[in-house]
Amino acid sequence: MGARKSTDRSGQTTPNAHGSGKNSRRRFLKAAGGLGSAAGLSALAGCIGSLGSDDETIRIGTLYDNSGELGFTGEGKDAVTEMFLEEQDYELLGREVELISYDPAGDNTQYQNLTRRIIQEDEVDMLFGALLSSNREAMRPIVNENKQLYSYNDWYEGGVCDQFTFINTTLSSQQRPMIEFMIDNFGPDYYAIVADYNYGTISNQYARFYAEEYGGQPVGEEFVPLGVDEFGSTINDIQQADPDWILSLTIGAPQASFFEQAEAAGLDVPYGSMSNIAGTYEHKTFEPPVMTDTYSCFSYFEEIPTERNQEFVEKFKSEYPDFDYVFLSIVDAYTALQLYWEAVELAGTVDQEEVAAAYESGDISVEAPSGTVAMDPETHHATQDMWLAHVDESHEVQFLDVDGNPTDEPISEQVGTSDWFASECQLASESTWDDPITEQYIPEEGDLTE
Amino acid sequence: MSLIESLFGFLILALSHFGKLALIALGLAVIFGIMGIINFAHGEFILVGAYTTAMGYHAGFPLLLAIFVGGLAAGIFGLIVERLIIQHLYDRLIETLVATWGVSLIVIQLVRIQFGGTFAGIHTPLGSIQYGAFSASTYRIALAGAAIVLFASTYAIFMYTRYGLHSRAAMQNKEMAQCLGIPTKRVYMKTFFFGSVLSGIAGGLIAPTVSLTPDMGTNVLVEAFVTVIVGGANVIVGTSLAALSLGIIQAPASMLFGTLGGYLALLITTVLLIRVLPEGLTGVVE
Amino acid sequence: MDESEHATEESSNPHHWFSHLLDRFDEFHARFEGPNTIGNNRTFWAVFWGIFAILLVYPMIVNTFVLKTNTSFFIWVILALSLSIVWGYSGIFNFGQMATFGLGGYAYGVVAINLTEMIGGTVLALLIGVVLPAVVMAALGYFMFYGQVSGLYVAIITLVVTLMFNLLLTRTSGTTIGDAQLGGLNGMSGIPTLELDVVAFSFDLTPVSEYYLVLALMIAVYLGLRYTVNSYYGYVMIAIREDERRTQMFGYDIRKLKTALFSAGAALGGLAGVLYVSWSGFIDPTMFGLVSASLPIIWVTVGGRGTLLGSGIAAYLLQYTSNELGAMGTGYSFIFLGILFILVILFFPSGIVPALRDRWVAWSTTRKQSGSVQEGNS
């Protein structure tokens, strides 16, 4: 919404601005329909399902927060969804595409109700949604119960193995090159600052496992509750442990205060980050030199120097000037749509079972802003290039190769899921539409070693 | 870590915890102590102060001036809220709670729509001080000093100004004060303004140490409440004592058991203190 | 005023069958009536059972989604009623009612997942989901009320305890209890739906039967609480709320009573939590966050603190509204909600339902005065 408003504010009358206006009207009509027919105690309630159910129209649903703590992230995802649909002229297989998007506002009960609504009433052909893993876990039982094709596209710890879910984003296991790089270049002893919940602790397990493989080990680990923005004792503890580098798994803006406080306390240790820069652009929100010598490994950064990406960034920012930085979540939402488009075109239909089969064909591969992204048939996770970004003292980003030299290439190409997960999760061979597997696997101590 | 270093580390930590708790609680304590209402949008006054300070700072103002502007902006915002909403709800604790909760929802979302998910922060000034192998931010320690200055000024205002006299009278016995010709409504309005300014200044002061986000107010709300309640009815003495004792408890707990331990210690201490001293720390002092 | 109303009706022809029926109708409701509740006359009950009748046929006219959503609103109504008793009637400013809901939900989830093979496993889980919050809150109540903690301090302690549950449950990402993975912030999923086993027949809850079950429980809780607040205990509750010290002087053990009430409210909150988790199959620690904790407080304040009806209606309407705002997908939903809270508080400071009641009473009194002449003619 903020994005749309700013398009108006910029005074442009480009076709794009016009297009997004058109879409907001569409959304409004949808909303009015929802309100009028009302899930309340009005007897009219039953009629929404049939409202405009033209079989020719393809319906795409998004459930991204537009308000609440992650409202800005969700707005970015909805904005890029609009941009993608405009690029496609709201057409797929020669049929019109309708976008239905709701705002679950970060509330998991809302996620559940709106998932039901978007599946059972709006009868979407494809559902994109959830920001946090907990949002996704709230949605998944309903998605599975209704056999709904579903895309999750926000970075997470990995492990979802689900017949109906297709995932393209950076997984913790894919950040392995960063660990190797840090140990090779700075030394084996690291101190981990970990957001104290699933994403943080599971990613930390991966990090510890890979570090051990490369001969490194943690000299200290601090688990920080979400929302904490006070790091005095942590900084003390780090100074005492005297690590070669710090592994950052801080999540959310309050925890990012760590960097400012570490800088102010005169702590001068390089950061190897699994959670900063790409998704939350701390190098843009903090004044230099707070983030100096942060090394971060993700599938996407705004700064990726390919022509494809620079065009994409320029286009998105000109259409949605509220976004100063094109962050990972935005691009993953865009790539998810690209993958769906390809799968539907391959299947020649939007029939969900057939599209799922197309996803599993092994032929789904798109040129995303981040590079080539392919869908792995067995795990339903994207295979993609990983980039190692280095933030310098003026907060500019360079990409590095294995030896630490600047490069225009990814540090690792076409990275899939971890070996452990690939051996656990074999959806194409073991799961079918009618007898589906719908799990999330969490690595236990020792799982990763085998 | 040598004993001296640990002691030093502990002192610095305790001071910075005290500084932060005292700053974020003072504005709330003034409003709660004198008007007897709960301002659930308290965090958003801090937010307004912090954002305005950052804007002023990025516009080229010196930090101190920017903080002053931040306080003023929060004060004006407070005045608007008071005139539009609070003045109709004097002496209605629960109703103000829900209405200010509404204010908080609106402000957070407006800020998010206007400025996005994060706002360009301010670099922490003053550098660091060394002690042995350790170092700490000078500014964090300076915050404790700033808190003491703010408390002293608030004390002076309550003791030596006409407004202070009136507000103390209104706090002790509203009806009697009215009979004596004290315009309690005006006093309340001024109090709300004053409390808002204090919250805004606190926001400006802590702005260089944290990330600026629309939710920054919600994040400090609980700590501010806990400090005020533990402090009890006496705005100055109670609140500063509460901030001090909670800071002194949080510091070693977080050194020994990590950040979570520190936070849990803060919460558990609160529960125990309330149980032992139902009047708050004020009760002990008096 | 209400009694005189009944009196007029009794004095009209008592032998007529219809009038006899009406008398029985009134007699049946008399036990739920009294000065402590809103809606003590025939009109109210006629409307009440009318709405109930609509709710009974409701599943036949709406689709599964609408039905499912409504079921969740009814569950919130039960939670609101539980807080209305604890806070609205007894004056215990409990900021932790949502914690009882969450505890009930988690307890149900853990037990139900572990006993999923056992016949009646979910019923046992339900019992534990009700008992556990009651026990936990009895302990907390004992801690507070036997230490003379009251008023706002109760609110802070209950809030802090709720937030501690949040902190602790968030870190349970690797924790399992038997077969149940608590799941940390990602929440616990795969929780089985309640299965009712009644002697010989047992059935899984479908959306429709689940709706009827929750509806029945909601009505039962409402009527049960109406009965309670208009009984001797209701008067004691209100006495505690109005003046603790005086009530104590009359020989009541305030501490014991408050602890009991607090714990009973928790049992009811736990029941709502169980129903919710059975409804959603999922629960996560945000239930114990600040935002969630404030919700019941807001419902009860907006609806009218001293009324069961108001709390229930407000819970339904506010949850419905925020649901619809989310469906508009605008990002402005919190702004609308914020404005709504402020307007309601400014224009109906004692709550919507008491305000409407006052208006209704004023209107019907004037009508009765002008209409009494006509009645005399017939």
Side-chain angles (χ1 to χ4, degrees):
Chain A
M1 205 61 188
R4 232 176 347 264
K5 197 181 62 191
S6 67
T7 324
D8 299 339
R9 208 191 300 144
S10 71
Q12 288 176 334
T13 46
T14 60
N16 291 325
H18 185 72
S20 76
K22 180 180 71 185
N23 187 49
S24 66
R25 194 160 59 242
R26 203 173 296 209
R27 264 205 216 180
F28 175 76
L29 283 177
K30 191 72 225 167
L35 256 191
S37 48
L41 295 173
S42 124
L44 287 171
C47 75
I48 329 168
S50 59
L51 201 132
S53 77
D54 178 5
D55 282 336
E56 287 301 300
T57 311
I58 295 171
R59 291 150 172 267
I60 286 181
T62 64
L63 290 180
Y64 301 128
D65 296 351
N66 278 226
S67 33
E69 207 161 322
L70 293 171
F72 192 68
T73 309
E75 276 181 1
K77 291 175 95 89
D78 272 326
V80 86
T81 304
E82 269 179 24
M83 185 174 109
F84 177 85
L85 292 176
E86 274 154 25
E87 286 172 357
Q88 307 298 327
D89 265 333
Y90 284 93
E91 254 185 49
L92 176 59
L93 298 176
R95 290 158 63 181
E96 199 194 338
V97 175
E98 185 187 2
L99 173 65
I100 295 149
S101 48
Y102 296 142
D103 169 23
D107 173 350
N108 285 333
T109 309
Q110 286 270 43
Y111 263 104
Q112 293 197 310
N113 278 327
L114 293 173
T115 305
R116 280 208 178 83
R117 177 185 289 231
I118 214 163
I119 296 175
Q120 294 174 345
E121 283 204 328
D122 301 312
E123 295 174 357
V124 292
D125 296 297
M126 178 68 186
L127 174 59
F128 299 84
L131 300 182
L132 296 173
S133 285
S134 64
N135 308 148
R136 183 196 64 234
E137 291 309 299
M139 288 174 73
R140 239 162 26 91
I142 301 160
V143 165
N144 295 334
E145 179 187 305
N146 290 283
K147 295 190 189 297
Q148 171 67 48
L149 206 54
Y150 165 58
S151 155
Y152 176 65
N153 48 65
D154 226 78
W155 38 299
Y156 87 118
E157 63 272 19
V160 170
C161 179
D162 185 320
Q163 173 69 33
F164 307 104
T165 305
F166 292 86
I167 297 172
N168 64 293
T169 188
T170 301
L171 309 173
S172 305
S173 62
Q174 294 174 333
Q175 297 172 313
R176 177 181 189 146
M178 184 274 290
I179 311 276
E180 183 181 8
F181 179 89
M182 294 305 285
I183 289 174
D184 284 354
N185 286 277
F186 296 103
D189 296 341
Y190 74 91
Y191 186 100
I193 301 173
V194 182
D196 198 0
Y197 77 107
N198 311 49
Y199 171 76
T201 49
I202 293 172
S203 303
N204 184 45
Q205 276 186 40
Y206 279 106
R208 204 186 310 143
F209 166 65
Y210 294 135
E212 274 162 23
E213 281 211 333
Y214 301 122
Q217 71 277 319
V219 290
E221 284 178 326
E222 164 89 46
F223 295 91
V224 188
L226 286 173
V228 161
D229 59 5
E230 178 57 62
F231 290 93
S233 62
T234 310
I235 291 166
N236 241 312
D237 203 35
I238 293 172
Q239 288 176 328
Q240 188 169 10
D242 192 24
D244 298 320
W245 54 284
I246 291 171
L247 173 72
S248 162
L249 269 165
T250 63
I251 287 294
Q255 290 195 353
S257 309
F258 165 75
F259 297 106
E260 184 67 60
Q261 291 173 20
E263 177 72 25
L267 191 68
D268 189 21
V269 184
Y271 302 120
S273 172
M274 296 175 77
S275 60
N276 309 101
I277 309 298
T280 39
Y281 50 101
E282 286 80 359
H283 60 308
K284 298 291 172 191
T285 52
F286 286 117
E287 269 194 73
V290 172
M291 299 306 293
T292 304
D293 286 337
T294 303
Y295 298 82
S296 173
C297 182
F298 273 95
S299 56
Y300 181 80
F301 295 87
E302 182 191 277
E303 293 86 353
I304 287 177
T306 59
E307 207 176 307
R308 165 82 174 99
N309 179 50
Q310 289 311 316
E311 272 171 25
F312 171 82
V313 169
E314 202 176 309
K315 181 168 183 216
F316 183 78
K317 281 186 169 177
S318 74
E319 285 182 33
Y320 301 97
D322 270 5
F323 295 88
D324 298 327
Y325 188 80
V326 181
F327 44 88
L328 180 68
S329 303
I330 292 179
V331 172
D332 281 341
Y334 186 87
T335 310
L337 285 154
Q338 284 187 295
L339 290 165
Y340 177 66
W341 242 245
E342 176 118 338
V344 169
E345 275 162 4
L346 186 70
T349 166
V350 289
D351 178 87
Q352 299 190 25
E353 189 174 351
E354 289 186 39
V355 176
Y359 268 121
E360 284 185 356
S361 66
D363 298 329
I364 302 298
S365 167
V366 298
E367 285 311 310
S370 59
T372 306
V373 177
M375 184 54 70
D376 175 49
E378 293 290 358
T379 59
H380 289 195
H381 278 70
T383 304
Q384 55 199 345
D385 296 345
M386 298 303 292
W387 298 76
L388 181 67
H390 169 238
V391 179
D392 68 15
E393 64 276 4
S394 54
H395 281 192
E396 297 295 325
V397 164
Q398 300 95 35
F399 295 98
L400 304 181
D401 65 14
V402 197
D403 305 316
N405 300 317
T407 173
D408 286 349
E409 301 286 323
I411 191 164
S412 188
E413 286 182 16
Q414 295 304 298
V415 184
T417 59
S418 69
D419 296 342
W420 164 75
F421 184 64
S423 69
E424 288 285 319
C425 180
Q426 281 158 6
L427 289 165
S429 27
E430 289 172 5
S431 164
T432 64
W433 193 260
D434 296 315
D435 186 16
I437 291 173
T438 59
E439 295 289 325
Q440 177 171 13
Y441 298 119
I442 296 161
E444 282 168 19
E445 255 359 284
D447 274 349
L448 294 169
T449 8
E450 278 148 10
Chain B
M1 202 189 242
S2 75
L3 185 67
I4 303 288
E5 278 173 346
S6 317
L7 209 64
F8 218 78
F10 163 73
L11 269 179
I12 287 173
L13 261 189
L15 267 181
S16 61
H17 283 304
F18 157 75
K20 186 171 178 202
L21 289 176
L23 282 174
I24 59 175
L26 181 58
L28 186 71
V30 165
I31 291 171
F32 175 66
I34 290 171
M35 301 171 70
I37 58 168
I38 291 191
N39 179 13
F40 231 83
H42 172 67
E44 281 57 54
F45 288 87
I46 291 178
L47 170 110
V48 169
Y51 268 60
T52 314
T53 302
M55 272 186 267
Y57 178 78
H58 292 307
F61 290 17
L63 185 60
L64 274 181
L65 182 64
I67 291 173
F68 179 75
V69 174
L72 208 61
I76 291 166
F77 172 58
L79 213 52
I80 295 170
V81 171
E82 203 277 342
R83 284 294 93 187
L84 284 179
I85 300 165
I86 308 291
Q87 67 156 327
H88 307 291
L89 302 171
Y90 287 152
D91 302 324
R92 290 170 161 270
L93 185 107
I94 311 299
E95 284 77 3
T96 38
L97 187 149
V98 175
T100 49
W101 178 259
V103 172
S104 149
L105 286 179
I106 295 170
V107 173
I108 293 174
Q109 194 59 24
L110 283 180
V111 167
R112 194 189 320 277
I113 288 171
Q114 193 55 42
F115 301 107
T118 39
F119 194 64
I122 302 171
H123 194 46
T124 316
L126 301 183
S128 60
I129 52 164
Q130 289 283 332
Y131 55 104
F134 298 86
S135 56
S137 159
T138 319
Y139 186 79
R140 294 304 303 273
I141 301 161
L143 277 189
I148 293 170
V149 171
L150 269 190
F151 270 83
S153 326
T154 309
Y155 180 77
I157 286 173
F158 279 132
M159 295 312 286
Y160 305 115
T161 66
R162 214 178 142 72
Y163 154 74
L165 184 71
H166 285 174
S167 60
R168 278 182 294 138
M171 180 170 91
Q172 279 185 351
N173 191 333
K174 188 183 160 201
E175 280 72 30
M176 186 66 85
Q178 267 170 335
C179 293
L180 293 171
I182 293 173
T184 48
K185 291 202 164 177
R186 281 199 77 80
V187 169
Y188 280 173
M189 187 180 82
K190 286 179 188 164
T191 303
F192 204 83
F193 173 75
F194 182 44
S196 307
V197 171
L198 288 172
S199 306
I201 290 176
L205 282 167
I206 62 170
T209 67
V210 295
S211 323
L212 304 183
T213 69
D215 297 292
M216 66 177 292
T218 322
N219 289 326
V220 299
L221 186 66
V222 171
E223 283 163 278
F225 265 116
V226 158
T227 311
V228 171
I229 297 295
V230 168
N234 189 315
V235 175
I236 307 289
V237 182
T239 311
S240 54
L241 267 182
L244 191 62
S245 38
L246 291 176
I248 286 175
I249 281 160
Q250 201 180 355
S254 57
M255 282 170 92
L256 291 174
F257 310 114
T259 317
L260 176 73
Y263 197 62
L264 278 178
L266 176 88
L267 296 181
I268 293 170
T269 311
T270 304
V271 170
L272 294 179
L273 272 179
I274 292 176
R275 172 64 155 72
V276 181
L277 312 166
E279 298 283 297
L281 286 173
T282 306
V284 182
V285 179
E286 278 165 2
Chain C
M1 182 215 87
D2 295 317
E3 280 165 23
S4 69
E5 207 176 318
H6 289 167
T8 354
E9 268 135 27
E10 272 165 39
S11 64
S12 63
N13 187 358
H15 301 294
H16 194 277
W17 66 270
F18 183 65
S19 154
H20 183 69
L21 206 64
L22 282 181
D23 286 346
R24 301 303 300 268
F25 188 75
D26 292 338
E27 246 170 64
F28 173 74
H29 294 119
R31 72 197 78 185
F32 304 117
E33 294 179 349
N36 297 337
T37 46
I38 282 181
N40 297 313
N41 54 52
R42 194 179 285 167
T43 323
F44 171 82
W45 290 110
V47 174
F48 180 84
W49 294 116
I51 291 175
F52 181 67
I54 295 171
L55 292 179
L56 281 182
V57 295
Y58 194 59
M60 288 151 215
I61 49 176
V62 296
N63 61 23
T64 320
F65 154 70
V66 177
L67 198 66
K68 258 305 218 189
T69 315
N70 258 301
T71 308
S72 78
F73 297 156
F74 290 166
I75 296 171
W76 297 121
V77 169
I78 297 179
L79 178 66
L81 291 175
S82 73
L83 183 64
S84 179
I85 281 293
V86 173
W87 182 35
Y89 281 88
S90 317
I92 303 168
F93 190 177
N94 182 3
F95 225 111
Q97 197 62 17
M98 203 65 170
T100 68
F101 185 89
L103 277 178
Y106 266 100
Y108 172 82
V110 168
V111 178
I113 287 176
N114 279 300
L115 300 184
T116 183
E117 300 297 317
M118 187 180 122
I119 296 170
T122 56
V123 175
L124 187 62
L126 177 132
L127 288 178
I128 291 173
V130 172
V131 171
L132 180 81
V135 171
V136 171
M137 289 300 154
L140 183 63
Y142 176 81
F143 173 83
M144 293 191 299
F145 303 128
Y146 282 78
Q148 314 297 337
V149 177
S150 65
L152 198 54
Y153 296 101
V154 172
I156 292 291
I157 289 191
T158 47
L159 176 64
V160 164
V161 169
T162 308
L163 294 177
M164 282 200 273
F165 278 122
N166 178 308
L167 274 176
L168 295 175
L169 282 167
T170 302
R171 19 183 13 239
T172 57
S173 53
T175 312
T176 51
I177 301 178
D179 295 335
Q181 297 183 333
L182 291 187
L185 193 73
N186 284 8
M188 179 162 59
S189 52
I191 302 169
T193 312
L194 200 56
E195 253 176 80
L196 291 184
D197 304 271
V198 188
V199 197
F201 85 114
S202 121
F203 61 97
D204 271 334
L205 283 185
T206 63
V208 175
S209 55
E210 181 184 42
Y211 169 87
Y212 282 122
L213 174 72
V214 173
L215 173 65
L217 283 172
M218 178 178 78
I219 299 289
V221 167
Y222 175 65
L223 291 180
L225 291 180
R226 274 195 75 136
Y227 177 78
T228 312
V229 298
N230 284 317
S231 71
Y232 166 78
Y233 295 102
Y235 288 91
V236 177
M237 277 152 72
I238 288 168
I240 294 173
R241 180 185 74 192
E242 294 301 322
D243 195 330
E244 268 185 37
R245 214 167 278 176
R246 192 175 297 177
T247 317
Q248 195 159 21
M249 300 271 273
F250 281 128
Y252 293 95
D253 186 346
I254 300 288
R255 301 171 301 180
K256 198 161 114 193
L257 285 168
K258 280 168 90 170
T259 308
L261 277 164
F262 192 65
S263 168
L268 214 46
L271 171 70
V274 169
L275 293 174
Y276 175 80
V277 170
S278 165
W279 171 88
S280 70
F282 172 83
I283 186 167
D284 72 279
T286 52
M287 282 293 160
F288 299 91
L290 179 64
V291 176
S292 297
S294 321
L295 280 179
I297 303 277
I298 289 170
W299 299 334
V300 173
T301 312
V302 165
R305 236 183 305 160
T307 116
L308 290 167
L309 188 67
S311 310
I313 290 179
Y316 186 95
L317 290 181
L318 287 177
Q319 282 306 95
Y320 170 73
T321 308
S322 66
N323 209 51
E324 289 304 314
L325 286 173
M328 291 176 75
T330 62
Y332 283 90
S333 40
F334 285 156
I335 297 183
F336 286 130
L337 271 188
I339 292 173
L340 184 72
F341 293 162
I342 294 171
L343 291 181
V344 167
I345 293 299
L346 286 182
F347 291 102
F348 308 101
S350 57
I352 291 181
V353 168
L356 290 180
R357 190 261 323 260
D358 292 346
R359 247 157 251 190
W360 164 260
V361 168
W363 180 75
S364 60
T365 335
T366 48
R367 195 191 59 146
K368 202 165 286 164
Q369 276 160 1
S370 61
S372 56
V373 186
Q374 280 181 334
E375 260 174 47
N377 285 346
S378 68

